[in-house]
Amino acid sequence: MGIVAALALTVAVAASLAFSWVGKGVEPTGRTTYVTVSMTHMRYSQPTIEVPAGNRLVISLRNDDEDMVHDLVLETGEKSDRLAPGESTRMDVGVVDHDIAGWCSISGHRQMGMTLDIVATGTDAGDASGDSTTAAGDAADDLDLLADPGPDFAPYDAALPRLEEHGEVHRMTMTISEEEKEVAPGVRQKVWTFGGTAPGPVLHGAVGDTFVITVVNKGSEAHGIDFHAGSLAPDKAMRPIPPGESLVYRFTATRAGIWMYHCSSMPMSVHIANGMFGAVVIEPPDLPEVDRSYVIVQSAQYFGPQDGSADPEKVRLEQPDTVVFNGYPNQYDHSPLTAKVGERVRVWVLDAGPSRDSAFHVVGTQFDTVYFEGGYLLNGGSGGSQALALAPSQGGFVEMTFPEPGHYPFVSHDMVDAERGAHGTFAVTD
Ligand SMILES: [Cu+2]
């Protein structure tokens, strides 16, 4: 609501300052223009609606998509209901005396081209609508990256428990929900989650295991899921799930690695940016035991307004406010990961993007073992490694031992990202 209200205000102010012609004289004609507009594949069937100035405009709006929700909002503040597939509605725009821009308000649809222009013909006013991109208060203005998140803050649990059994069938229900959360100090956003957290839960199994995941969409728009850990035709399994519906996604993990899962609804960049991602760890059969295992998922945050959702424009321009490990900037500086001197520590790392690379590095140590995308880059010998380089959706693990007690920072060594939240600490004791 905040965005719409602020937008309406912006337009009202702009209109009173710049468009004084509006008052001087488009007489209502007493006639009505009726148009039917169908919505499908991120487009309005009539992207330009010409209306003789002074006519009243009535739009019959129909959602002909198979599984996506759409709507129509106008820069005047007018908006339709959000229409599920097959639904329709009637929108009375009133007397049109100037050009009016419209778009679908479902996240990211406008950026993907779902826009519409109402053009008032027979005026000499030229283009009165302008580009109504708004700057409704940005939650990044309230971000204090180094602030203590407070005593109630619960870090995402990075520990990966030992895998007890192999050859299992893993059955679980994963509920897609919208959650208002503090996602950085001073910043609350309405994130979309798998299972209530962003990242979603870590799934863990061995090569040969089967996963049967019931995905329930309790959100207010269509979402879907894509598990990289399985190989199958996307057509059915990754289809958009309308609000209130569910599907069963079944895959067998035939290859080892740390695999991304993410929302499969368009635009995926925005759905991932707003929290819809997670990791599946599939252990190779010969994986040696270590003293401690952790999972770190790197992602980026693109804040919209306070209590709003990710800003699709920042996502498109690749301008994140933060880059984070396990969903919250610097959280493991506030709640360090632990290890003891001499222990072998394995860190599985996944880069969930949506668009940033990762260069995982632990200050003060060298990796003696590096597993990248299903194979060892380094495993014994005299060589060492300083960073694990990952493109979006790639993953692997590194192993190290800490030589003495102390505080060892871990970062993405893309330093601008380390400085905007991709930073944590290993607290190492005797
Ligand atoms: Cu989604």
Side-chain angles (χ1 to χ4, degrees), residues 192 222-224 263-265 271 276:
W192 306 329
H223 297 288
C263 183
S264 57
S265 273
H271 285 246
M276 304 193 77

Side-chain angles (χ1 to χ4, degrees), residues 400-415:
M400 73 216 84
T401 53
F402 295 95
E404 57 182 337
H407 295 84
Y408 296 75
F410 57 92
V411 299
S412 171
H413 216 291
D414 188 328
M415 274 302 158

Side-chain angles (χ1 to χ4, degrees), residues 14-71:
S16 67
L17 290 178
F19 307 137
S20 51
W21 63 272
V22 169
K24 52 170 131 124
V26 176
E27 292 292 325
T29 61
R31 286 187 291 272
T32 302
T33 301
Y34 294 94
V35 294
T36 298
V37 176
S38 158
M39 303 184 288
T40 179
H41 298 122
M42 299 290 174
R43 291 292 180 273
Y44 296 103
S45 60
Q46 280 219 53
T48 304
I49 299 173
E50 297 200 341
V51 184
N55 272 22
R56 177 172 157 235
L57 172 63
V58 174
I59 300 174
S60 295
L61 191 65
R62 202 176 63 231
N63 182 358
D64 288 323
D65 239 329
E66 269 172 40
D67 22 40
M68 306 204 79
V69 175
H70 296 295
D71 67 6

